[in-house]
């Protein structure tokens, strides 16, 4: 059964048009050199959008909190250098205006899916929004969160399934594969699958990404680091640069067959 979803333009990229997009980049922007290395790999791997966290909503306040404004500036600069649209997360209404200066797409993270003032503020901006599913949210709550954005006039919403909390503890979260066709069907938004935050494990990224595409996802988001073991956040679920090139190649081959 084929379901029509609204097309969402992110710079020169279209999400929801039938050809799955790959969004890739570091969990956190750590500096210019690492970001350039990842961006060069992204171009080689035909990634459509470069991601990089800079306002990081970490579970522990003692963990690396991101480079903030400096990270946004680096992401904007490297995106322009490599011709890639860029997406990053904002965690507060006050960050939105600044973020608009640098980003082609604004991400709302799982921990902020219920931040209604932030969602409403993003409803008033001229930029697409990548809305991640809260790890305790039902599909209905996720779609209602999207409505907070749409109600204010911005219907350029893309959803991201990133796993929900279950009793399973060998994975960080549990990828809810049924949410992919369900949210597409009932919401009419494109849906991206994030196997990294869903699993927390590099060894599960390929099967989960393939499962996402098989379930009809409009794209896959991947974390990448030049030296994952030294990453300041989420190294265990990040691909190396050769790992990105290999997995992106496989995903392209599957989606064009
Ligand atoms: C992220 O994508 O950088 C992130 C923090 O993910 P989530 O909000 O899904 O935990
Ligand atoms: Mn991460």
């Amino acid at each position: 059964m084929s379901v029509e979803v609204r097309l969402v333009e992110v710079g020169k990229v279209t999400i929801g048009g039938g050809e799955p997009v790959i969004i890739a980049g570091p969990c956190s922007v750590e500096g210019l050199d690492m970001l350039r290395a990842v961006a060069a790999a992204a171009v080689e791997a035909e990634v459509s959008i470069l991601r990089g966290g800079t306002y990081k909503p970490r579970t522990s306040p003692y963990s690396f909190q991101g480079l903030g404004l400096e990270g946004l500036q680096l992401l904007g600069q490297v995106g322009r250098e490599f011709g890639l649209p860029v997406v990053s997360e904002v965690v507060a209404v006050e960050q939105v205006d600044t973020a608009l200066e640098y980003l082609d797409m604004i991400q709302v993270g799982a921990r902020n899916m219920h931040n209604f003032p932030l969602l409403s503020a993003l409803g008033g901006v001229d930029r697409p929004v990548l809305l991640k599913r809260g790890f305790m949210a039902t599909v209905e709550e996720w779609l209602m969160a999207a409505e907070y954005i749409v109600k204010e006039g911005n219907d350029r919403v893309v959803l991201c399934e990133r796993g929900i909390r279950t009793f399973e503890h060998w994975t960080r979260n549990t990828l809810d594969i049924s949410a992919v066709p369900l949210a597409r069907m009932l919401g009419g938004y494109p849906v991206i699958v994030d196997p990294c935050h869903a699993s927390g494990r590099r060894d599960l990224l390929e099967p989960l990404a393939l499962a996402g595409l098989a379930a009809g996802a409009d794209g896959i988001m991947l974390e990448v680091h030049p030296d994952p073991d030294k990453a300041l956040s989420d190294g265990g679920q990040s691909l190396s640069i050769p790992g990105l090139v290999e997995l992106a190649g496989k995903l392209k081959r599957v989606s064009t067959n």
Side-chain angles (χ1 to χ4, degrees):
M1 185 182 66
S2 89
V3 173
E4 295 271 313
V5 295
R6 66 187 73 189
L7 301 181
V8 177
E9 311 280 340
V10 182
K12 59 183 192 302
V13 175
T14 304
I15 306 182
E19 192 186 325
V21 299
I22 300 178
I23 303 175
C27 176
S28 298
V29 173
E30 297 174 9
L32 184 57
D33 291 347
M34 65 83 74
L35 193 56
R36 278 191 173 137
V38 173
V43 170
E44 185 190 341
E46 294 180 39
V47 162
S48 300
I49 300 173
L50 180 66
R51 65 150 280 150
T54 168
Y55 297 108
K56 295 302 299 177
R58 305 301 302 283
T59 301
S60 163
Y62 305 108
S63 301
F64 176 60
Q65 298 289 305
L67 297 181
L69 176 58
E70 186 196 344
L72 279 184
Q73 290 166 336
L74 293 175
L75 196 60
Q77 175 189 334
V78 172
R80 275 193 309 279
E81 265 176 43
F82 287 83
L84 291 167
V86 293
V87 58
S88 191
E89 175 172 357
V90 296
V91 298
V93 174
E94 307 80 74
Q95 294 161 355
V96 172
D97 282 345
T98 312
L100 291 173
E101 292 176 36
Y102 303 100
L103 302 180
D104 300 287
M105 183 180 219
I106 312 275
Q107 180 170 318
V108 175
R111 291 159 192 77
N112 275 298
M113 192 210 83
H114 289 292
N115 183 339
F116 299 125
L118 180 60
L119 299 173
S120 297
L122 292 173
V125 307
D126 169 26
R127 217 54 55 87
V129 178
L130 183 62
L131 176 62
K132 297 193 101 180
R133 180 180 180 184
F135 46 78
M136 302 285 277
T138 63
V139 173
E140 185 178 13
E141 288 164 339
W142 189 22
L143 295 181
M144 284 298 138
E147 286 307 304
Y148 270 86
I149 303 169
V150 174
K151 176 172 177 283
E152 301 304 321
N154 183 1
D155 68 354
R156 298 165 73 197
V157 174
V158 176
L159 302 175
C160 179
E161 162 59 38
R162 47 77 74 208
I164 50 175
R165 184 166 283 175
T166 67
F167 52 78
E168 179 53 60
H169 61 102
W170 283 354
T171 52
R172 181 172 172 179
N173 291 283
T174 296
L175 180 65
D176 180 5
I177 205 72
S178 59
V180 176
L182 200 55
R184 291 182 89 251
M185 249 174 347
L186 300 181
Y189 304 103
V191 176
I192 302 287
V193 164
D194 170 356
C196 300
H197 294 91
S199 67
R201 301 175 56 136
R202 192 178 310 129
D203 57 356
L204 292 183
L205 301 183
E206 180 177 327
L208 295 191
L210 290 169
L213 293 185
D218 299 282
I220 302 294
M221 179 148 91
L222 298 167
E223 290 187 326
V224 192
H225 194 282
D227 188 353
D229 292 340
K230 298 216 173 74
L232 297 180
S233 59
D234 288 352
Q237 63 190 41
S238 296
L239 291 162
S240 64
I241 283 178
L244 170 69
V245 175
E246 193 190 332
L247 180 53
K250 277 191 189 156
L251 298 179
K252 291 267 171 199
R253 282 195 293 282
V254 166
S255 54
T256 49
N257 277 339

PDB file of all heavy atoms in Angstrom, residues 24 32 80 111 119 150 155 157 162 170 172 177 194 199 225 246:
ATOM      1  N   ALA A  24      23.368  12.657   7.985  1.00  0.00           N
ATOM      2  CA  ALA A  24      24.474  12.085   8.758  1.00  0.00           C
ATOM      3  C   ALA A  24      25.376  13.180   9.281  1.00  0.00           C
ATOM      4  O   ALA A  24      25.444  14.272   8.712  1.00  0.00           O
ATOM      5  CB  ALA A  24      25.271  11.098   7.893  1.00  0.00           C
ATOM      6  N   LEU A  32      36.251  22.255  14.148  1.00  0.00           N
ATOM      7  CA  LEU A  32      36.213  22.440  12.694  1.00  0.00           C
ATOM      8  C   LEU A  32      36.780  21.244  11.940  1.00  0.00           C
ATOM      9  O   LEU A  32      36.189  20.775  10.970  1.00  0.00           O
ATOM     10  CB  LEU A  32      36.983  23.721  12.344  1.00  0.00           C
ATOM     11  CG  LEU A  32      36.975  24.138  10.879  1.00  0.00           C
ATOM     12  CD1 LEU A  32      35.551  24.329  10.347  1.00  0.00           C
ATOM     13  CD2 LEU A  32      37.774  25.427  10.687  1.00  0.00           C
ATOM     14  N   ARG A  80      28.106  25.229   4.163  1.00  0.00           N
ATOM     15  CA  ARG A  80      28.296  26.050   2.952  1.00  0.00           C
ATOM     16  C   ARG A  80      29.506  25.575   2.157  1.00  0.00           C
ATOM     17  O   ARG A  80      29.452  25.436   0.941  1.00  0.00           O
ATOM     18  CB  ARG A  80      28.489  27.531   3.332  1.00  0.00           C
ATOM     19  CG  ARG A  80      27.187  28.286   3.525  1.00  0.00           C
ATOM     20  CD  ARG A  80      27.425  29.792   3.576  1.00  0.00           C
ATOM     21  NE  ARG A  80      28.466  30.191   4.525  1.00  0.00           N
ATOM     22  CZ  ARG A  80      28.290  30.318   5.835  1.00  0.00           C
ATOM     23  NH1 ARG A  80      27.104  30.097   6.375  1.00  0.00           N
ATOM     24  NH2 ARG A  80      29.285  30.687   6.624  1.00  0.00           N
ATOM     25  N   ARG A 111      13.723  14.729  24.108  1.00  0.00           N
ATOM     26  CA  ARG A 111      13.428  15.271  25.441  1.00  0.00           C
ATOM     27  C   ARG A 111      12.579  16.540  25.385  1.00  0.00           C
ATOM     28  O   ARG A 111      12.075  16.989  26.407  1.00  0.00           O
ATOM     29  CB  ARG A 111      14.736  15.543  26.192  1.00  0.00           C
ATOM     30  CG  ARG A 111      15.458  14.268  26.558  1.00  0.00           C
ATOM     31  CD  ARG A 111      16.926  14.496  26.832  1.00  0.00           C
ATOM     32  NE  ARG A 111      17.634  13.216  26.889  1.00  0.00           N
ATOM     33  CZ  ARG A 111      17.977  12.493  25.824  1.00  0.00           C
ATOM     34  NH1 ARG A 111      17.686  12.914  24.601  1.00  0.00           N
ATOM     35  NH2 ARG A 111      18.599  11.341  25.968  1.00  0.00           N
ATOM     36  N   LEU A 119       7.620  24.190  20.464  1.00  0.00           N
ATOM     37  CA  LEU A 119       6.920  23.739  19.249  1.00  0.00           C
ATOM     38  C   LEU A 119       6.131  24.892  18.636  1.00  0.00           C
ATOM     39  O   LEU A 119       6.189  25.123  17.418  1.00  0.00           O
ATOM     40  CB  LEU A 119       5.985  22.575  19.577  1.00  0.00           C
ATOM     41  CG  LEU A 119       6.644  21.310  20.137  1.00  0.00           C
ATOM     42  CD1 LEU A 119       5.584  20.305  20.574  1.00  0.00           C
ATOM     43  CD2 LEU A 119       7.592  20.680  19.116  1.00  0.00           C
ATOM     44  N   VAL A 150       2.267  22.904  13.291  1.00  0.00           N
ATOM     45  CA  VAL A 150       1.442  23.172  12.105  1.00  0.00           C
ATOM     46  C   VAL A 150       0.382  24.238  12.404  1.00  0.00           C
ATOM     47  O   VAL A 150       0.108  25.110  11.576  1.00  0.00           O
ATOM     48  CB  VAL A 150       0.793  21.849  11.620  1.00  0.00           C
ATOM     49  CG1 VAL A 150      -0.190  22.107  10.485  1.00  0.00           C
ATOM     50  CG2 VAL A 150       1.877  20.869  11.190  1.00  0.00           C
ATOM     51  N   ASP A 155       3.856  24.050   8.146  1.00  0.00           N
ATOM     52  CA  ASP A 155       3.522  22.629   7.929  1.00  0.00           C
ATOM     53  C   ASP A 155       4.720  21.845   7.383  1.00  0.00           C
ATOM     54  O   ASP A 155       4.568  20.725   6.915  1.00  0.00           O
ATOM     55  CB  ASP A 155       2.300  22.487   7.011  1.00  0.00           C
ATOM     56  CG  ASP A 155       2.594  22.924   5.586  1.00  0.00           C
ATOM     57  OD1 ASP A 155       3.708  23.450   5.326  1.00  0.00           O
ATOM     58  OD2 ASP A 155       1.705  22.766   4.724  1.00  0.00           O
ATOM     59  N   VAL A 157       6.984  19.810   8.422  1.00  0.00           N
ATOM     60  CA  VAL A 157       7.381  18.959   9.546  1.00  0.00           C
ATOM     61  C   VAL A 157       7.804  17.585   9.024  1.00  0.00           C
ATOM     62  O   VAL A 157       7.115  16.996   8.195  1.00  0.00           O
ATOM     63  CB  VAL A 157       6.209  18.804  10.547  1.00  0.00           C
ATOM     64  CG1 VAL A 157       6.559  17.808  11.645  1.00  0.00           C
ATOM     65  CG2 VAL A 157       5.828  20.158  11.143  1.00  0.00           C
ATOM     66  N   ARG A 162      13.030   7.440  16.873  1.00  0.00           N
ATOM     67  CA  ARG A 162      14.378   7.236  17.438  1.00  0.00           C
ATOM     68  C   ARG A 162      14.360   6.251  18.597  1.00  0.00           C
ATOM     69  O   ARG A 162      15.280   6.221  19.414  1.00  0.00           O
ATOM     70  CB  ARG A 162      15.004   8.573  17.823  1.00  0.00           C
ATOM     71  CG  ARG A 162      14.116   9.483  18.601  1.00  0.00           C
ATOM     72  CD  ARG A 162      13.942   9.140  20.063  1.00  0.00           C
ATOM     73  NE  ARG A 162      15.125   9.458  20.828  1.00  0.00           N
ATOM     74  CZ  ARG A 162      15.497   8.825  21.938  1.00  0.00           C
ATOM     75  NH1 ARG A 162      14.741   7.845  22.434  1.00  0.00           N
ATOM     76  NH2 ARG A 162      16.595   9.171  22.585  1.00  0.00           N
ATOM     77  N   TRP A 170      19.385  -4.440  26.600  1.00  0.00           N
ATOM     78  CA  TRP A 170      20.574  -4.665  25.771  1.00  0.00           C
ATOM     79  C   TRP A 170      20.639  -3.669  24.617  1.00  0.00           C
ATOM     80  O   TRP A 170      21.600  -3.635  23.864  1.00  0.00           O
ATOM     81  CB  TRP A 170      20.614  -6.114  25.261  1.00  0.00           C
ATOM     82  CG  TRP A 170      21.077  -7.055  26.356  1.00  0.00           C
ATOM     83  CD1 TRP A 170      21.524  -6.702  27.594  1.00  0.00           C
ATOM     84  CD2 TRP A 170      21.134  -8.478  26.301  1.00  0.00           C
ATOM     85  NE1 TRP A 170      21.851  -7.829  28.314  1.00  0.00           N
ATOM     86  CE2 TRP A 170      21.632  -8.928  27.543  1.00  0.00           C
ATOM     87  CE3 TRP A 170      20.814  -9.420  25.315  1.00  0.00           C
ATOM     88  CZ2 TRP A 170      21.814 -10.275  27.836  1.00  0.00           C
ATOM     89  CZ3 TRP A 170      21.003 -10.764  25.606  1.00  0.00           C
ATOM     90  CH2 TRP A 170      21.498 -11.185  26.851  1.00  0.00           C
ATOM     91  N   ARG A 172      19.681   0.623  23.831  1.00  0.00           N
ATOM     92  CA  ARG A 172      19.434   1.872  24.563  1.00  0.00           C
ATOM     93  C   ARG A 172      17.929   2.183  24.604  1.00  0.00           C
ATOM     94  O   ARG A 172      17.395   2.628  25.603  1.00  0.00           O
ATOM     95  CB  ARG A 172      20.212   2.980  23.838  1.00  0.00           C
ATOM     96  CG  ARG A 172      20.110   4.335  24.459  1.00  0.00           C
ATOM     97  CD  ARG A 172      21.091   5.287  23.765  1.00  0.00           C
ATOM     98  NE  ARG A 172      20.879   6.636  24.219  1.00  0.00           N
ATOM     99  CZ  ARG A 172      21.580   7.688  23.818  1.00  0.00           C
ATOM    100  NH1 ARG A 172      22.557   7.546  22.924  1.00  0.00           N
ATOM    101  NH2 ARG A 172      21.326   8.877  24.276  1.00  0.00           N
ATOM    102  N   ILE A 177       9.166  -0.070  14.998  1.00  0.00           N
ATOM    103  CA  ILE A 177       9.090  -0.082  13.534  1.00  0.00           C
ATOM    104  C   ILE A 177       7.662   0.178  13.057  1.00  0.00           C
ATOM    105  O   ILE A 177       7.454   0.791  12.009  1.00  0.00           O
ATOM    106  CB  ILE A 177       9.698  -1.400  12.981  1.00  0.00           C
ATOM    107  CG1 ILE A 177      10.196  -1.208  11.561  1.00  0.00           C
ATOM    108  CG2 ILE A 177       8.769  -2.578  13.089  1.00  0.00           C
ATOM    109  CD1 ILE A 177      11.438  -0.382  11.434  1.00  0.00           C
ATOM    110  N   ASP A 194      16.025   6.829  12.991  1.00  0.00           N
ATOM    111  CA  ASP A 194      17.336   7.063  13.620  1.00  0.00           C
ATOM    112  C   ASP A 194      17.741   5.791  14.366  1.00  0.00           C
ATOM    113  O   ASP A 194      17.346   5.586  15.517  1.00  0.00           O
ATOM    114  CB  ASP A 194      17.199   8.257  14.582  1.00  0.00           C
ATOM    115  CG  ASP A 194      18.412   8.453  15.481  1.00  0.00           C
ATOM    116  OD1 ASP A 194      19.356   7.634  15.427  1.00  0.00           O
ATOM    117  OD2 ASP A 194      18.416   9.425  16.252  1.00  0.00           O
ATOM    118  N   SER A 199      19.142   2.220  19.144  1.00  0.00           N
ATOM    119  CA  SER A 199      19.834   1.016  19.622  1.00  0.00           C
ATOM    120  C   SER A 199      20.974   1.324  20.581  1.00  0.00           C
ATOM    121  O   SER A 199      21.280   0.526  21.466  1.00  0.00           O
ATOM    122  CB  SER A 199      20.406   0.238  18.432  1.00  0.00           C
ATOM    123  OG  SER A 199      21.443   0.991  17.825  1.00  0.00           O
ATOM    124  N   HIS A 225      31.605   9.690  13.354  1.00  0.00           N
ATOM    125  CA  HIS A 225      32.726  10.392  14.009  1.00  0.00           C
ATOM    126  C   HIS A 225      34.031   9.884  13.410  1.00  0.00           C
ATOM    127  O   HIS A 225      34.153   8.680  13.143  1.00  0.00           O
ATOM    128  CB  HIS A 225      32.680  10.125  15.524  1.00  0.00           C
ATOM    129  CG  HIS A 225      33.554  11.036  16.309  1.00  0.00           C
ATOM    130  ND1 HIS A 225      34.922  10.862  16.391  1.00  0.00           N
ATOM    131  CD2 HIS A 225      33.262  12.133  17.039  1.00  0.00           C
ATOM    132  CE1 HIS A 225      35.430  11.835  17.147  1.00  0.00           C
ATOM    133  NE2 HIS A 225      34.444  12.621  17.555  1.00  0.00           N
ATOM    134  N   GLU A 246      30.310   2.830   3.684  1.00  0.00           N
ATOM    135  CA  GLU A 246      29.826   1.481   3.389  1.00  0.00           C
ATOM    136  C   GLU A 246      28.306   1.368   3.610  1.00  0.00           C
ATOM    137  O   GLU A 246      27.579   0.883   2.738  1.00  0.00           O
ATOM    138  CB  GLU A 246      30.564   0.488   4.290  1.00  0.00           C
ATOM    139  CG  GLU A 246      30.350  -0.940   3.845  1.00  0.00           C
ATOM    140  CD  GLU A 246      30.880  -1.942   4.868  1.00  0.00           C
ATOM    141  OE1 GLU A 246      31.823  -1.619   5.618  1.00  0.00           O
ATOM    142  OE2 GLU A 246      30.307  -3.049   4.914  1.00  0.00           O
TER     143      GLU A 246
END
